[in-house]
Amino acid sequence: MIRGPICAPCSSDREPCTLGFQQPGGDLVAVGHLMPDRGSAEAALLVEDAWQNSGLGSRLLRHLGHRAVGAGWKEVHGLVPPGDAKIAAILSHTSVPVHAVHEEGVTTLWAETGDIGAEELPADVW
């Protein structure tokens, strides 16, 4: 059994936000972070190896995306190594169009929050 998402308190919608999933004993098994970045927000995900391929990364990304919509940011972006299969798998579980630019060994991925807002809200969003 997994509990989550849990949310670190944010004093405003425009400040960084950290979400996580934890086991009943309290151990964090996945964490996602949303950091404001000049009118948009950068998203970062980390899922413990034993919990990968369980859907937690996809759930965290959806929650972070809806937080970005609520905060009024124009887009959500992230930096990944080119060909990152795990991120590709996470993104395949969303209906949101994702844009990509490949530069100097890094891929920047982003989605417009207008598209994120149109996606059905996950059932476990609080």
Side-chain angles (χ1 to χ4, degrees), residues 2 7 10 18 24 29 60 64-65 72 76-77 96 105 112 114-115 122:
I2 194 82
C7 180
C10 303
T18 302
V29 296
L60 277 171
L64 292 173
V76 175
H77 64 271
V96 174
E112 306 287 329
D115 294 331

Side-chain angles (χ1 to χ4, degrees), residues 5-6 19-20 26 32 47 57 61 67 76 82 86 92 109 115 122:
I6 56 171
L19 304 176
V47 178
L61 191 58
R67 280 286 179 116
V76 175
K86 296 203 184 277
S92 73
L109 303 172
D115 294 331

